[in-house]
Amino acid sequence: MIKLGASRIDIERAAEILNNGGLVAFPTETVYGLGADAFNPLSLARVFKVKNRPHFDPLIIHIAKTNSLEHIACLDSLDSHCRKLLDLLINSFWPGPLTLVLPKRQEVPGLATAGLPAVAIRFPSNPVAQALITLSTGAVAAPSANPFGRLSPTRAEHVMETLGNSIDCIIDGGPCQVGVESTVLEIQNAGIPRILRPGGINRKQLEAIIGPVEDGSKISQEKGNIQCDQNKTAALSAPGMMQSHYAPVVPLFLHSPEEMATLPYHDKEGYLFFSGKNRTQWPTNPVQLSSHCPAILTLSETGNITEAAANLYEYLHILDRSGASCIHAESLPEEGIGEAINDRLYRACHKN
Ligand code: TXA
Ligand code: MG
């Protein structure tokens, strides 16, 4: 495994590895991706193997110029209304954390889409990702670079720890800025666009540009109190929207802000607060869980949701490695990217 930086020479080397069928982990603005040439079925098969990912869960194909879209999606099959929506979305949100699910071209290997007739496509804004895609074949299939079901990586070290031994190369481009995966939006003829996974672009932002958007990702929630109840399982609206996902190794329990404020403190457990607000009755100097990890972490002291998103996986990784017997996390306001954070915390949460 080769560890590279983000210089031009390093990215050229990584692109060569991709072009020769290798697997390269690289930074995007959301999370690190595990890249493979989207048109090389053998490389795609290795992605599934390395991640231990079920073959029914399709991959996102990453591009670095809008024109590449037509080599992957069958745009001719879209009606004029869909074409208009698509143009609006591309102009407003690309490059950025929005993945579009569109009818696929026949040339795209079935392995990339898990045999589905639609393909997910994203144009990331991270310049390292863009350079890598441009220098390779222009179409890089990349799931998040973590073992299936586990926490997504927002640093090269997270990838090293979990997949370092089984991939060919990692580009270290520093921490990811958004911190939560892209929003996955499905566009279909004669249908309202549907969010399959909440993410970096929220529903309000989408609706401001294209009008009504359906939320096909909703999990059971009651007035900000997220229910961790297996019986309330929502239908599997997207292949990758398994209820249990994005999870740390130790159990995670999700609490409303009110519950979190009054939770009894145990010194072998880890606590992840959204802001400083509900932490007022808590010990200011709690016992360290390990030399690097205080038992209480706060996603954003001032309650800034964007900052909270950027810290989410990083802090979950820290608590997961800290020796804590479990993690208690506070749910966030359902505003902006808070919706995507709650979705991830809910899916990470321990179901009895
Ligand atoms: O931000 C992101 O999207 C990151 C970075 C690396 O770009 N990638 C990522 O990929 O999160 P992954 O594989 O971990 O999640 C992709 C999601 C899954 O929920 C998958 O089921 C869904 O996108 N998806 C992919 N192709 C699809 C398709 N053809 N139809 C419906 N859902 C699809
Ligand atoms: Mg993932």
Side-chain angles (χ1 to χ4, degrees):
M1 207 276 305
I2 306 167
K3 197 173 169 208
L4 298 171
S7 69
R8 181 79 185 177
I9 291 178
D10 278 0
I11 298 174
E12 278 170 5
R13 197 158 162 216
E16 203 181 306
I17 295 173
L18 271 184
N19 291 343
N20 289 328
L23 303 189
V24 174
F26 64 97
T28 80
E29 69 278 19
T30 57
V31 300
Y32 273 73
L34 178 60
D37 175 2
F39 287 95
N40 183 336
L42 285 178
S43 306
L44 297 175
R46 239 185 103 203
V47 168
F48 284 92
K49 182 150 187 272
V50 161
K51 271 187 65 97
N52 199 16
R53 181 178 176 116
H55 284 87
F56 59 76
D57 192 4
L59 308 175
I60 296 173
I61 298 184
H62 295 64
I63 57 176
K65 57 176 199 260
T66 306
N67 285 352
S68 303
L69 187 61
E70 63 202 49
H71 302 301
I72 300 162
C74 190
L75 301 180
D76 293 343
S77 67
L78 291 177
D79 62 29
S80 60
H81 178 63
C82 279
R83 281 301 287 261
K84 205 171 119 205
L85 296 187
L86 182 63
D87 287 343
L88 287 168
L89 289 166
I90 290 174
N91 288 333
S92 306
F93 301 112
W94 274 11
L98 177 68
T99 293
L100 298 171
V101 175
L102 294 162
K104 96 171 181 75
R105 282 186 74 100
Q106 221 184 338
E107 296 84 350
V108 176
L111 205 49
T113 64
L116 293 171
V119 58
I121 306 166
R122 174 160 124 73
F123 181 169
S125 62
N126 180 302
V128 178
Q130 290 181 356
L132 177 71
I133 298 162
T134 306
L135 290 168
S136 62
T137 60
V140 175
S144 49
N146 53 285
F148 179 73
R150 292 289 160 211
L151 292 173
S152 294
T154 52
R155 287 177 181 273
E157 297 84 51
H158 299 155
V159 185
M160 285 289 269
E161 279 164 25
T162 52
L163 301 180
N165 290 332
S166 32
I167 65 179
D168 303 303
C169 171
I170 300 179
I171 302 179
D172 187 348
C176 300
Q177 270 157 353
V178 176
V180 177
E181 296 86 347
S182 62
T183 302
V184 179
L185 183 73
E186 180 183 45
I187 301 189
Q188 275 178 321
N189 286 339
I192 299 174
R194 199 161 65 115
I195 295 175
L196 302 180
R197 176 178 71 180
I201 303 288
N202 66 60
R203 185 175 172 174
K204 267 204 190 127
Q205 288 172 290
L206 294 170
E207 291 193 327
I209 303 295
I210 57 164
V213 166
E214 233 173 62
D215 194 342
S217 74
K218 264 284 171 263
I219 42 175
S220 54
Q221 295 181 11
E222 269 172 23
K223 289 188 184 139
N225 231 347
I226 315 262
Q227 302 290 308
C228 297
D229 182 346
Q230 195 82 72
N231 297 325
K232 292 191 177 175
T233 304
L236 205 65
S237 51
M241 296 310 285
M242 274 63 98
Q243 285 256 306
S244 178
H245 219 85
Y246 308 101
V249 173
V250 299
L252 181 142
F253 298 96
L254 186 54
H255 304 280
S256 67
E258 298 74 34
E259 284 169 354
M260 194 74 177
T262 54
L263 213 61
Y265 170 63
H266 297 288
D267 64 8
K268 291 278 184 309
E269 300 181 355
Y271 299 85
L272 184 63
F273 280 87
F274 161 47
S275 72
K277 203 171 128 210
N278 286 323
R279 216 191 43 218
T280 46
Q281 295 168 37
W282 283 64
T284 42
N285 271 323
V287 178
Q288 299 264 121
L289 288 168
S290 69
S291 57
H292 301 298
C293 186
I296 301 173
L297 292 177
T298 305
L299 288 174
S300 166
E301 201 49 48
T302 58
N304 176 319
I305 299 186
T306 310
E307 184 186 15
N311 288 330
L312 176 71
Y313 286 126
E314 163 84 7
Y315 287 9
L316 285 172
H317 275 285
I318 292 175
L319 287 170
D320 201 19
R321 284 180 310 217
S322 67
S325 58
C326 68
I327 301 170
H328 298 277
E330 177 182 11
S331 65
L332 275 79
E334 284 276 306
E335 286 161 26
I337 203 167
E339 220 176 310
I341 300 176
N342 282 340
D343 172 86
R344 303 305 188 271
L345 286 172
Y346 174 76
R347 288 177 209 282
C349 116
H350 187 65
K351 323 275 195 309
N352 295 308

